Structure formats: structure tokens, C-alpha cells
Amino acid sequence: MVRSINFVVLGKQEIASEFGKKGTETDLTLYDRKESDIIKTWVIPNGFPDKIQPLFQAINLAEYVILHVDKLDKFTGEQIIALDSLKKEKGILSHTFDVDETKLNMMIKGTVVENYLKVDQDKIKEEMDKLEPLTNDNPSEMIIDHCFDVKGVGTVILGKVTDGTVKQYDNLKLYPAGIDVLIKSIQMHDDPVSESVCPARVGLAVKGVKPDEVNRGDIISQEGLVDVKTEIVLDFQKNPFYKNDIAENQGCLVSIGLQIKAAKFSSISPLKLSFEKPVVCKKGQIAVILKPESSTIRILGSGTIQ
């Protein structure tokens, strides 16, 4: 059985090219490499820092974090806050020679990053190679990051199996649309397989849905595993670095998994968000509220879905 590990590379993103071969490239770029029976994937949010959205999507695709700091600015601050908001506790931290370690330690104090394994840059790969695949046998679920039409094949979906196992000829549901989807074939690292165990990155040829019906962040799963909602309540914590007030009917963007959806505050206490379009979510999942137009920090706060 082929196993999988997924990393997000933050800070100096260019180091990802030292680890694997470049694959899919949009506002998220993926690098991968197969070593014996393990496929390793590194995702970088190359649309960041121009946009905040790819940062959260890249982090949500990974089990492990590689944070290689090359400057101490507000964007490094945003990456640290993003990792802390999403409770990404497993990671490796390094920095370039010109970064003041004392100042970096002050920036990460009290966050999940403070507990990352601290190494010199030349030891990153060595420490990465010690990390083990994380899997589970929950009911099957997959999160989608890209979708397109392939001549002679039809709709092809790229994404990550987040739970359980996805098998060829499975009949699953696409959410939030609720469309029935048949898995015609599965590829991992360009090789055909009959099944993929989480957290595998896969390409699926599917029947029952067209590419324009599929969005980044959509979920393919067994029926009834996820909720589809237009309003959620959060156990909310405001980011202490976000200084502006929030008010009812104010607009924002919300990051849940790979979804980035427009919403407004329908209530402040408790914090309730109303969405323009349905979102796929689960109780206990983390939602992060973003203000992309903010000139300072763009992360307003976060909380678990009640």
C-alpha cells in the first residue's frame, strides 16, 4: 500500500523546489516525490502574501509544517497567526542567518510554532524524513483543490483524501451541491491505483459532475458525513493584533477547510455568520475570519463551529 505525507512550506517558499518535482501550479503550487512506498507532497501558497486566502488553503492541505523564516515582517506574523489559528502543532522551524533569533522567539511565543522542532536549514530534509504518515480508518472523505476537463477522460478532480479510503467504483456525494459522483479511476503520482488511503493526494476521473459544478473546498464523501449550512455559530476568539471593531451586518471572508466564502456577521454575541452561498462543514471544525482589505493584519479571528 502506497502511503502519503503532505507538508506546507512557509516563509521562504523557494526551498520546496529542493525537496520535490514541481506539479500543479496555480495560486497554490505542489511539489512531490516518491520514496520507496511513500509519496511526499509539499504545497506552497505562492499567491501569498498578495492574497491571504492561499495561505489558509495551503496550511489546510498539510499534516506537517516547514517554516523557514527569511525576514521578520507583518507577513511572517500573519503566517504564525494562521498556523496558530488552525492549531497546526506538528512542524519544523528554521531561519536564515540574517534573522534575529531573539526577535523570532518573541514573535512565536505562546503560539503552536513555539513548540516546533528548531533546526538549521541544512538539517530540514533530514528531520522531514523522520516524520511518519498520519492515517485513519474513518468513513471516506476527500477535499478538492483543483478540477478540470481532460479530453477523452472527462471530469478530473485533484485533492486530498482527508479520511478513510477512497476506492475505484465508489459511489459518493459531492458537497455542498449534493450531486452523486462515481469514481471511475484513481491516480497517485501519475500511477493508476484501485484505492487510496488518507492522507493521499489523488487525481480522480469521475462521472456524474461537470468541472463548472465543482469548486475548490468542495467535499466528496459518503452521504451524511458533513453538514451543508448557510449560517454557523462560532466559539470565537478575536485576534489580539486586529484592532478594528466588528459589528452586525459587517462583511468578511471565512476560511473553512479549503473554502473561502463571503459572509456577514448576523450576531456578535454569540458570534453568528450568515453566508451568501452554502458551506460544507462539521461541528468542531475551525473557521477563520479574514479581512483581505485590511492594511495591517488580515486575520480577524477564529473559532470552532458549534
Side-chain angles (χ1 to χ4, degrees):
M1 177 65 71
V2 179
R3 299 183 298 157
S4 306
I5 302 183
N6 302 286
F7 302 90
V8 60
V9 179
L10 300 177
K12 192 175 182 182
Q13 300 177 7
E14 294 82 359
I15 63 167
S17 63
E18 298 169 19
F19 306 139
K21 183 181 169 214
K22 187 187 281 190
T24 308
E25 183 177 18
T26 55
D27 54 346
L28 302 174
T29 296
L30 293 123
Y31 295 81
D32 63 10
R33 189 173 79 240
K34 189 173 183 180
E35 294 176 351
S36 58
D37 67 338
I38 297 179
I39 295 171
K40 295 182 177 179
T41 303
W42 295 266
V43 58
I44 63 169
N46 53 293
F48 175 86
D50 293 345
K51 291 183 174 181
I52 186 79
Q53 296 93 315
L55 173 63
F56 281 88
Q57 293 173 324
I59 294 170
N60 271 311
L61 277 171
E63 302 92 67
Y64 294 105
V65 178
I66 310 294
L67 175 55
H68 182 54
V69 179
D70 60 342
K71 53 175 92 75
L72 299 179
D73 59 8
K74 70 175 182 180
F75 299 124
T76 300
E78 279 189 330
Q79 291 170 86
I80 293 165
I81 293 166
L83 292 166
D84 196 55
S85 300
L86 294 171
K87 298 182 171 51
K88 285 290 179 179
E89 295 172 347
K90 298 177 173 70
I92 294 170
L93 174 66
S94 67
H95 62 80
T96 54
F97 295 117
D98 51 347
V99 166
D100 184 324
E101 193 165 346
T102 306
K103 287 182 180 172
L104 175 60
N105 288 338
M106 285 170 60
M107 285 178 79
I108 63 174
K109 191 171 174 58
T111 72
V112 292
V113 180
E114 188 176 18
N115 297 316
Y116 285 7
L117 180 69
K118 297 177 179 70
V119 300
D120 292 335
Q121 181 178 351
D122 60 357
K123 293 279 190 274
I124 295 174
K125 187 177 181 314
E126 184 183 321
E127 292 302 329
M128 262 192 324
D129 289 343
K130 296 177 185 175
L131 297 171
E132 286 291 317
L134 303 173
T135 191
N136 65 58
D137 55 4
N138 296 340
S140 53
E141 186 180 305
M142 172 182 162
I143 193 163
I144 296 167
D145 52 64
H146 296 86
C147 181
F148 43 84
D149 187 67
V150 175
K151 192 173 181 181
V153 177
T155 303
V156 170
I157 285 170
L158 304 183
K160 174 184 169 181
V161 181
T162 44
D163 281 296
T165 304
V166 171
K167 298 178 181 177
Q168 189 176 14
Y169 309 124
D170 272 354
N171 283 291
L172 300 171
K173 285 264 189 189
L174 173 74
Y175 293 102
I179 298 170
D180 291 317
V181 171
L182 169 70
I183 311 300
K184 293 194 297 183
S185 63
I186 307 172
Q187 282 197 340
M188 292 176 63
H189 200 69
D190 295 328
D191 294 324
V193 295
S194 59
E195 62 180 45
S196 292
V197 177
C198 75
R201 275 207 61 78
V202 294
L204 305 180
V206 301
K207 186 179 178 183
V209 66
K210 297 183 175 70
D212 59 6
E213 296 174 301
V214 182
N215 296 295
R216 181 181 287 177
D218 285 1
I219 299 287
I220 292 177
S221 73
Q222 292 179 14
E223 193 164 1
L225 286 185
V226 295
D227 298 319
V228 176
K229 296 189 171 184
T230 53
E231 188 173 79
I232 59 172
V233 178
L234 293 188
D235 178 14
F236 179 69
Q237 279 193 311
K238 190 177 175 188
N239 172 10
F241 299 101
Y242 185 83
K243 300 303 182 190
N244 297 335
D245 292 326
I246 56 175
E248 278 189 23
N249 294 318
Q250 190 179 344
C252 61
L253 288 182
V254 182
S255 164
I256 303 172
L258 299 193
Q259 301 166 97
I260 307 280
K261 297 277 178 95
K264 65 178 183 180
F265 298 103
S266 47
S267 159
I268 301 301
S269 185
L271 193 104
K272 202 178 284 187
L273 294 161
S274 296
F275 292 87
E276 293 175 8
K277 294 178 179 175
V279 293
V280 190
C281 60
K282 287 181 176 177
K283 187 176 179 181
Q285 192 173 7
I286 297 170
V288 184
I289 301 176
L290 306 174
K291 278 282 194 177
E293 71 278 10
S294 171
S295 58
T296 54
I297 198 89
R298 294 174 284 184
I299 303 165
L300 194 151
S302 62
T304 51
I305 298 170
Q306 300 301 289

